[in-house]
Amino acid sequence: MLGKTANGLFWMSRYLERAENTARLIETGQRIALTRLGSGEEEWIPVLQSAGSLDGFHDAYETPGQEAAVDWMLRGRDNPSSIMACIASARQNARLVRTAITGEVWEAVNATYMMARELLARKVSERDLPAVLAAIRQNTALVRGMIHGTMLRNDIYDFLRIGTFLERADNTARILDVKYYVLLPSVSAIGSSIDNVQWESILRSVSARGGFRMEYGSEGGPQEIAHFLIFDKRMPRSLAFCVGKIKDNLRYLNASQPKPSQSQKLVTHLETAYLSHGIDQVFEYGLHEFIEKMLELLGDLAGQIQLDYRFYE
Amino acid sequence: MRLTIHHTTRYSFDNPVPFGLQQLRKTPKSTPNQHILEWHTRIIGGQKELVFEDHHNNVIELISFEPGVETLELVSEGRVELNDTHGVVGRHRGPAPLWLYARPTQLTEARAGVRDMIRDLDDRNTVDMLHTLSARIRSKVTYEIGVSQPDWSAEDVIKAGGGVCQDHAHVFIACARQMGFAARYVSGYLLLDDRTTQDAMHAWAEAHVEGLGWVGFDVSNGISPDTRYVRVATGLDYSDAAPVSGMRMGDAGEALNVQIQVAQQ
Amino acid sequence: MENQKIFDEMWGTEDSLREPYRKFQTWFDSEDPARLRKKQRDAEELFRLTGITFNVYGKAEAEERLIPFDIVPRIISGSEWFRLSRGIEQRVRAINAFLHDIYHKQEIVKAGRIPKEMISQNEAFLPHMIGVEPPGGVYTHIVGIDLVRTGPGEFFVLEDNARTPSGVSYMLENRETMLQMFPELFSQNRVQPVSNYPTDLRRSLAACAPPACEGKPVVAVLTPGIYNSAYFEHAFLADKMGVELVEGHDLRVVDGRVAMRTTRGYRPIDVLYRRVDDEYLDPLNFNPDSALGVPGIMDVYRAGGITIANAPGTGISDDKAIYSYMPEIVEFYTGERPLLQNVQTWRCSEPDALAYVLDNLEELVVKEVHGSGGYGMLIGPTATKKDLAAFRRKLKARPGNYIAQPTLALSTVPIFSRAGLSPRHVDLRPFVLCSPGKVDITPGGLTRVALKKGSLVVNSSQGGGTKDTWVLED
């Protein structure tokens, strides 16, 4: 496979995953805004941060409130992480790798793009927002389904999967990075309703409320949430799950080689050094420091994969 | 006459160069009057990708840089045996059609300077006339190093009134073509009387004369080439016959050092 | 041309149904127009979804347009096609022989059949190709011959596209769409298939592998990139052939070969089907500013390390001034009378011809010698006074840059419009593949149709559409 093609596959799936995650973050932000009084700008700052969309936001709008934040993340013209921009980039990459993906996958990506262009052509009203976000999530899921159902399990598939899980791990880590403080043990506010809303928002933003309830009933607190999102290998958006998948796909890619690749070494290090312990050690290490470290290592890993597989000259 | 030739081109880059290619035109032509007894190219800091013969029958070696190279050295050396032909190279051999050499190029375009240069030449004897042209060029364009730029056209050179062998050749070619001759640029090695070490290849011109074929004119030295002249590359102008031409990635600056030794064996 | 009777391929000149359209007509009459209109919309939706779009030059990336598709097929009988394809084959063989001769001994010039200046002063002549023996002896691996028709048996060649003819993806997708929309039509009519084209293309490219090739030839398609107007077609062909689609920056000279950067290192390519123009192909040998090409590829080519398809320098044979000599060229190399007619052509470089053209500009079509895509041309009968005056000036300033031809009464084929079937002018571009000793012509080709009533311009960039083209088994 061409290095350029590996690059295109990797980014096509990363951008699709990013679009979907941003849709989920907007939903969560909207939910918090609805369940609480007032909908000031400050509540949207963490959401924008998690979505990697804070840069340039304040310059783009005169009144940077909720409406502006949602519009910016959906379709902000100068926001390279907006859902529209991500879907357009995903399609651009799909065009680039058109010969590597099946016609079904290409058509699903193209249909997602055509849908997004139509739905996001103008500002989305609050009334239409839930339906628009649902449509985006359904379409990106459809692409994933097409990949799952029509693509050969070869190196093409591996690069698609690696892109998906790197982006997903990154997203989960960023959510934790922005909200880590609500998960810290604190004397004063334990069990307060504010915390409950915050915890729920974290779970909601990774579509994990149901799963968490199934595991922990109503007993779970911040420790359990942190454990669930970092270590639980059954939870498809946890760091451990995503890193495990990346590790598998890197192994398949390298199957014919006698020695492990540099990226395999990095992912193994990441897993053994940081994802093989208990949540207690994480809090001991410092939750914030731990998450920062994870983000750094995920970045390094992405860089090493680019090098190992000659994405660029 | 037998000549031994050493030709070293050395590039020093001030930054590592990630990738580059160079075409070398240093191998003497193999012709009935010029036998290559031995010829080698050594490359330090790069590798030879391939060799081919271009449409002017030049031997071109394509060289690639080692990734991250800082010094590239190209050494060509060998022995050549020459017969005296009194400057007559002989009948045109293909594959390029003769008319190709009658077309002006950017460097040999004729305007007022060239038209002026060929005014009132006595054309009763073609070869004599071309010698007269050669002498006239030498008198109007003095040989002087450092006056001209490598990308100067014949007209630029005439305007400046000075230049080196490359410029003399371009002016001669422009004039000859303007008079309707096929003419070409020749780059090669020259055995000097007073020393063996030189810092550049020599250049002269050839015009195609009915009945004789290609005839050489070394404007700078005022003679037709003899057994001291080794023909290496020919073309429409310098750009077809340059000893080294290439491209490289990155923005590194370069220092160039050329050393040529031509000696009688 | 008002007094000329226009030949309609369905109804002839006398309004009587022609045989190839008989079954189609029966079917059409029994169809509900509303259903057909819906099908037409469905077809458009299908094209949009599969991404069969072209980018418009100079427009933003968002400007991806569909070439309108008309559901009424253009139908040619098997015997008509047989005659046509023999003429095409003869012409394509002559073009290859001509190219070999031009870049070697130039016998045709020596024989005085075409003037030396046609070659020596031709911008499309590429000195770097002098003396090259292209692998397999093939210069034009892929040719598109543009034909127009003026009567039952009268076909004229309008243009030979010997560089990088495009449009074959539309030929294939148009058929695919018709098969999906109207399967019943294909069980009623026996239509010769076109779907073998990608397989044939790959086979004929592989058959021209260079001397350096070891084992099974590696073929790749070189595209200028996703912003190129024909990117869809490049990706489409690479996909259908099952070969890599590469860009210049994926390639590099490695160990004397042109190699592509894969996830496992560089891998040599044997045959490169390039959709990048000569000028941009090799920054080391041609335009040094080109970022689309591969430095040194010409050197590898001359050294026998790669096959470039089509060969560089083939543009000289689709030059419109050379076109006017095609009858001589065909005779010179094949020793036969040309089976296909040329359109009468005035070379404005000749003073008599120029005078005639200037006197009769209102009735002629004037084209640039090196132009393509319908740009830079004048259609006398429909031109404004201003256009005519502007062309008069251009012609006087650079006569050698132009040729002129009579305005032909192009045949029409019906399109499905609001009013039912309405005649529109068409042309035809059959696609031809050359491999050593063999010429394959896909039955049919791309029919382009001027959607505007009375218009003669069929180019997609100027309001043209396309049709599926059927060649029937007689």
Side-chain angles (χ1 to χ4, degrees):
Chain A
M1 187 200 310
L2 294 176
K4 173 190 70 187
T5 306
N7 188 20
L9 293 164
F10 177 83
W11 281 105
M12 177 191 120
S13 56
R14 265 198 100 145
Y15 278 122
L16 283 169
E17 180 70 23
R18 189 173 293 176
E20 184 181 333
N21 291 337
T22 301
R24 207 174 269 115
L25 283 168
I26 297 173
E27 262 169 354
T28 311
Q30 182 75 358
R31 172 58 72 117
I32 295 182
L34 288 180
T35 48
R36 305 183 67 194
L37 292 172
S39 55
E41 178 200 349
E42 66 281 356
E43 287 159 37
W44 283 92
I45 298 295
V47 180
L48 286 160
Q49 260 176 317
S50 298
S53 288
L54 194 55
D55 285 353
F57 171 62
H58 287 95
D59 300 332
Y61 294 89
E62 277 176 28
T63 46
Q66 161 169 339
E67 212 182 285
V70 170
D71 188 56
W72 178 245
M73 284 189 283
L74 282 178
R75 50 191 283 278
R77 186 192 291 268
D78 298 319
N79 177 12
S81 299
S82 74
I83 289 180
M84 192 62 238
C86 285
I87 290 177
S89 299
R91 177 174 181 269
Q92 197 76 294
N93 279 288
R95 256 164 77 84
L96 196 70
V97 300
R98 179 61 193 82
T99 55
I101 55 181
T102 59
E104 282 100 325
V105 171
W106 158 250
E107 280 173 26
V109 174
N110 199 27
T112 303
Y113 171 78
M114 282 157 53
M115 172 278 306
R117 287 259 293 190
E118 199 179 310
L119 293 180
L120 302 178
R122 56 198 68 78
K123 203 166 227 178
V124 178
S125 72
E126 200 172 357
R127 194 185 49 182
D128 294 335
L129 186 61
V132 167
L133 293 170
I136 289 163
R137 286 211 281 136
Q138 278 166 11
N139 269 276
T140 52
L142 188 67
V143 177
R144 233 181 8 256
M146 281 298 179
I147 292 172
H148 190 80
T150 66
M151 298 281 299
L152 290 182
R153 292 329 192 237
N154 57 12
D155 46 355
I156 296 173
Y157 187 77
D158 293 330
F159 284 112
L160 286 169
R161 298 287 279 181
I162 289 169
T164 301
F165 288 111
L166 252 170
E167 181 63 29
R168 192 179 285 179
D170 200 56
N171 180 65
T172 301
R174 265 184 289 118
I175 290 169
L176 287 168
D177 190 36
V178 172
K179 288 279 189 173
Y180 78 93
Y181 57 89
V182 301
L183 296 176
L184 293 179
S186 107
V187 186
S188 60
I190 285 185
S192 75
S193 63
I194 292 180
D195 274 348
N196 275 328
V197 171
Q198 292 281 15
W199 297 342
E200 193 181 296
S201 83
I202 292 177
L203 290 170
R204 191 185 284 276
S205 57
V206 289
S207 292
R209 283 185 314 144
F212 186 74
R213 214 180 303 117
M214 211 181 283
E215 273 313 299
Y216 296 93
S218 53
E219 301 304 305
Q223 285 258 31
E224 287 75 19
I225 293 175
H227 178 267
F228 192 59
L229 262 56
I230 295 171
F231 292 115
D232 199 319
K233 283 209 164 182
R234 297 161 302 172
M235 151 61 184
R237 312 192 91 81
S238 78
L239 295 178
F241 180 89
C242 294
V243 168
K245 287 287 173 200
I246 297 169
K247 192 178 161 191
D248 289 348
N249 285 289
L250 283 173
R251 197 180 67 236
Y252 303 148
L253 273 180
N254 204 49
S256 63
Q257 307 299 312
K259 277 191 249 168
S261 64
Q262 285 302 318
S263 14
Q264 273 182 297
K265 287 181 194 162
L266 277 191
V267 79
T268 306
H269 167 71
L270 195 160
E271 196 174 50
T272 42
Y274 295 92
L275 294 173
S276 308
H277 308 284
I279 195 69
D280 294 343
Q281 278 134 309
V282 169
F283 279 98
E284 217 168 274
Y285 184 87
L287 179 59
H288 188 233
E289 289 74 10
F290 176 83
I291 295 298
E292 295 281 297
K293 191 75 197 169
M294 285 308 291
L295 283 167
E296 180 194 324
L297 289 174
L298 288 169
D300 292 350
L301 180 59
Q304 190 59 47
I305 293 170
Q306 281 181 17
L307 282 181
D308 282 358
Y309 295 99
R310 300 169 176 85
F311 282 15
Y312 306 98
E313 270 173 321
Chain B
M1 171 127 58
R2 283 187 178 196
L3 300 178
T4 58
I5 298 160
H6 292 264
H7 182 176
T8 304
T9 311
R10 190 186 157 91
Y11 293 89
S12 307
F13 304 110
D14 54 17
N15 270 312
V17 178
F19 176 70
L21 285 176
Q22 279 183 337
Q23 293 173 327
L24 296 193
R25 295 177 196 81
K26 291 184 174 183
T27 311
K29 287 174 188 270
S30 195
T31 64
N33 295 311
Q34 179 171 296
H35 301 282
I36 315 303
L37 303 173
E38 197 184 334
W39 197 263
H40 307 284
T41 303
R42 275 186 290 128
I43 300 140
I44 301 156
Q47 76 166 34
K48 191 195 288 190
E49 294 289 344
L50 54 92
V51 188
F52 69 99
E53 207 166 283
D54 76 359
H55 52 290
H56 302 295
N57 306 105
N58 299 321
V59 175
I60 300 188
E61 295 170 294
L62 185 70
I63 307 299
S64 65
F65 293 25
E66 255 167 36
V69 74
E70 289 180 71
T71 318
L72 178 68
E73 197 173 293
L74 311 159
V75 185
S76 304
E77 54 193 1
R79 295 182 302 131
V80 182
E81 183 171 352
L82 300 132
N83 303 337
D84 196 3
T85 62
H86 308 285
V88 179
V89 178
R91 151 185 104 72
H92 178 69
R93 39 176 203 135
L98 197 53
W99 57 252
L100 190 69
Y101 299 93
R103 302 201 300 187
T105 64
Q106 228 172 8
L107 293 176
T108 60
E109 212 184 348
R111 287 199 300 272
V114 167
R115 285 197 293 272
D116 213 35
M117 190 72 78
I118 58 175
R119 190 159 296 154
D120 304 327
L121 283 170
D122 178 356
D123 62 356
R124 273 171 298 179
N125 180 307
T126 308
V127 174
D128 289 350
M129 178 190 70
L130 291 169
H131 277 296
T132 312
L133 171 65
S134 170
R136 190 183 284 185
I137 293 170
R138 195 168 58 262
S139 72
K140 293 199 176 175
V141 180
T142 50
Y143 187 91
E144 203 178 342
I145 292 169
V147 179
S148 58
Q149 297 294 322
D151 59 348
W152 272 15
S153 71
E155 289 286 343
D156 294 335
V157 174
I158 294 172
K159 211 172 290 166
V164 293
C165 53
Q166 167 183 335
D167 306 310
H168 279 150
H170 280 154
V171 175
F172 184 92
I173 293 164
C175 293
R177 287 185 188 152
Q178 180 68 13
M179 291 188 290
F181 291 97
R184 67 189 179 193
Y185 185 98
V186 188
S187 106
Y189 299 109
L190 172 60
L191 174 71
L192 295 177
D193 301 335
D194 52 345
R195 59 201 149 95
T196 54
T197 303
Q198 310 169 29
D199 59 7
M201 283 179 77
H202 191 48
W204 59 96
E206 285 171 3
H208 192 267
V209 178
E210 270 313 309
L212 286 177
W214 290 103
V215 181
F217 296 88
D218 179 357
V219 177
S220 304
N221 290 310
I223 55 168
S224 277
D226 54 25
T227 53
R228 292 171 296 167
Y229 286 73
V230 179
R231 298 172 74 247
V232 174
T234 52
L236 303 185
D237 58 31
Y238 171 76
S239 60
D240 281 341
V244 182
S245 57
M247 54 77 65
R248 57 188 158 82
M249 290 194 338
D251 54 1
E254 70 179 34
L256 173 64
N257 182 297
V258 179
Q259 223 186 48
I260 298 172
Q261 288 171 324
V262 184
Q264 194 172 351
Q265 207 183 0
Chain C
M1 62 174 275
E2 298 86 82
N3 19 20
Q4 285 173 294
K5 263 275 202 195
I6 305 279
F7 173 70
D8 186 88
E9 299 190 14
M10 184 161 174
W11 298 104
T13 41
E14 305 299 332
D15 223 11
S16 64
L17 184 67
R18 292 182 68 245
E19 179 57 23
Y21 285 85
R22 198 171 43 79
K23 285 176 179 158
F24 172 78
Q25 204 259 343
T26 314
W27 171 86
F28 183 83
D29 280 354
S30 65
E31 283 293 301
D32 173 8
R35 181 181 104 98
L36 290 180
R37 254 187 287 282
K38 187 179 172 303
K39 288 275 184 184
Q40 180 100 43
R41 280 195 304 275
D42 289 351
E44 208 141 290
E45 197 47 44
L46 202 65
F47 279 121
R48 211 172 276 286
L49 189 63
T50 41
I52 306 181
T53 55
F54 70 100
N55 302 351
V56 180
Y57 285 113
K59 296 282 172 78
E61 174 249 330
E63 286 279 343
E64 286 171 23
R65 298 219 202 132
L66 282 185
I67 297 183
F69 171 71
D70 178 69
I71 56 170
V72 179
R74 190 234 197 119
I75 310 176
I76 298 170
S77 75
S79 56
E80 285 171 338
W81 178 254
F82 178 74
R83 279 196 304 278
L84 204 51
S85 56
R86 275 182 49 221
I88 294 170
E89 174 164 351
Q90 180 195 48
R91 193 161 173 116
V92 169
R93 286 190 192 281
I95 286 174
N96 269 286
F98 171 69
L99 284 163
H100 188 273
D101 186 33
I102 284 308
Y103 288 114
H104 291 83
K105 294 188 167 160
Q106 307 201 333
E107 304 280 7
I108 194 165
V109 177
K110 289 174 189 156
R113 301 297 290 269
I114 65 172
K116 188 185 79 184
E117 290 68 33
M118 275 292 126
I119 311 298
S120 69
Q121 289 174 18
N122 198 315
E123 289 170 36
F125 178 80
L126 190 65
H128 288 76
M129 283 302 290
I130 294 170
V132 172
E133 291 296 337
V138 177
Y139 283 85
T140 59
H141 306 77
I142 301 108
V143 190
I145 304 279
D146 287 356
L147 299 165
V148 292
R149 188 175 195 179
T150 56
E154 284 140 76
F155 287 90
F156 292 88
V157 177
L158 206 54
E159 228 171 83
D160 303 289
N161 296 280
R163 298 173 212 219
T164 49
S166 64
V168 76
S169 57
Y170 295 96
M171 171 185 88
L172 294 166
E173 285 293 291
N174 287 353
R175 175 62 54 81
E176 206 49 49
T177 304
M178 288 297 280
L179 281 165
Q180 276 190 39
M181 298 272 152
F182 308 110
E184 71 275 20
L185 270 175
F186 291 87
S187 45
Q188 292 162 16
N189 293 274
R190 290 176 59 206
V191 181
Q192 298 188 26
V194 296
S195 56
N196 296 334
Y197 181 84
T199 322
D200 290 346
L201 174 60
R202 180 169 182 173
R203 193 180 329 117
S204 75
L205 289 170
C208 294
C213 172
E214 294 164 355
K216 203 170 151 232
V218 176
V219 178
V221 177
L222 176 67
T223 173
I226 55 172
Y227 297 111
N228 184 270
S229 64
Y231 177 78
F232 164 76
E233 178 157 301
H234 308 160
F236 178 90
L237 288 174
D239 188 31
K240 301 286 175 200
M241 282 195 287
V243 304
E244 292 289 0
L245 178 67
V246 297
E247 292 174 46
H249 56 79
D250 296 316
L251 306 180
R252 157 177 301 189
V253 175
V254 177
D255 297 332
R257 308 288 310 276
V258 171
M260 54 185 167
R261 192 182 73 256
T262 76
T263 55
R264 305 223 182 279
Y266 279 94
R267 178 167 175 237
I269 292 173
D270 297 305
V271 183
L272 190 63
Y273 175 25
R274 51 83 182 229
R275 297 290 294 255
V276 169
D277 294 342
D278 286 356
E279 189 192 347
Y280 300 101
L281 194 57
D282 183 350
L284 186 66
N285 287 292
F286 306 133
N287 183 347
D289 300 324
S290 169
L292 306 177
V294 190
I297 188 172
M298 269 311 280
D299 298 2
V300 176
Y301 184 59
R302 284 200 72 118
I306 191 165
T307 299
I308 301 174
N310 289 353
T314 54
I316 192 156
S317 66
D318 64 17
D319 170 287
K320 292 188 185 67
I322 293 288
Y323 161 87
S324 62
Y325 289 97
M326 271 320 267
E328 283 91 335
I329 289 174
V330 170
E331 275 200 49
F332 186 76
Y333 297 106
T334 64
E336 301 161 6
R337 299 280 306 151
L339 299 173
L340 283 174
Q341 304 180 67
N342 247 26
V343 181
Q344 183 181 11
T345 302
W346 289 274
R347 294 183 279 267
C348 301
S349 56
E350 297 167 8
D352 290 355
L354 178 65
Y356 178 86
V357 170
L358 287 171
D359 284 348
N360 296 280
L361 206 52
E362 296 81 1
E363 283 145 37
L364 300 173
V365 176
V366 183
K367 295 175 180 171
E368 281 185 20
V369 170
H370 299 292
S372 68
Y375 290 101
M377 70 188 256
L378 174 89
I379 299 179
T382 59
T384 62
K385 284 220 156 44
K386 218 176 113 201
D387 291 341
L388 289 168
F391 255 81
R392 244 178 254 286
R393 279 195 300 277
K394 288 190 199 175
L395 279 164
K396 284 178 189 160
R398 288 186 66 193
N401 200 31
Y402 299 93
I403 54 120
Q405 294 170 335
T407 317
L408 294 181
L410 298 196
S411 63
T412 54
V413 173
I415 62 166
F416 181 61
S417 71
R418 227 174 267 277
L421 294 180
S422 327
R424 292 292 185 275
H425 294 292
V426 293
D427 79 353
L428 177 64
R429 175 179 290 181
F431 292 94
V432 187
L433 297 173
C434 303
S435 46
K438 196 158 172 264
V439 175
D440 288 306
I441 307 168
T442 306
L446 179 65
T447 292
R448 297 186 297 177
V449 51
L451 294 172
K452 225 171 78 191
K453 190 173 177 189
S455 168
L456 294 169
V457 183
V458 297
N459 302 83
S460 56
S461 49
Q462 299 187 45
T466 66
K467 284 172 165 294
D468 190 16
T469 309
W470 292 3
V471 173
L472 301 181
E473 309 252 12
D474 285 349

